[in-house]
Amino acid sequence: IWAPGNPQKCFLKTEFEAGEIRSAVLAATCDNTMKLSLNGKVIASSTEWQAPVFQNVTLNVKPGKNVITVEAGDEGGARGFV
């Protein structure tokens, strides 16, 4: 995933609805940098695209609407966020 026009900085946002949560894990990687937030709280960041981030977000997910935002950065070459 990346923004149209392939800018070096990319801002992504998605929303999801949650019911009762027993456990939740977020997994992500980005070539090259990323800062992930869930409901306004930074939950993970990385500068190593070869090593995906796995973050327990059980306590961060709330019943109802949740928002994930990503600030992604590219340092040249191929770019992408997963």
Side-chain angles (χ1 to χ4, degrees):
I1 300 172
W2 207 261
N6 292 321
Q8 284 193 298
K9 286 260 186 201
C10 178
F11 299 92
L12 306 166
K13 176 181 174 181
T14 191
E15 299 176 356
F16 66 95
E17 294 283 329
E20 181 183 340
I21 303 299
R22 293 181 133 179
S23 68
V25 175
L26 180 135
T29 189
C30 185
D31 185 358
N32 293 98
T33 65
M34 67 176 176
K35 180 170 68 172
L36 292 125
S37 297
L38 175 57
N39 297 325
K41 179 181 177 188
V42 175
I43 55 168
S45 61
S46 177
T47 59
E48 298 294 329
W49 66 268
Q50 304 95 327
V53 171
F54 295 91
Q55 183 67 40
N56 183 333
V57 295
T58 304
L59 298 177
N60 304 99
V61 177
K62 61 183 184 182
K65 184 174 104 173
N66 292 267
V67 179
I68 296 174
T69 57
V70 180
E71 181 180 332
D74 177 54
E75 297 172 358
R79 57 188 64 131
F81 168 80
V82 178

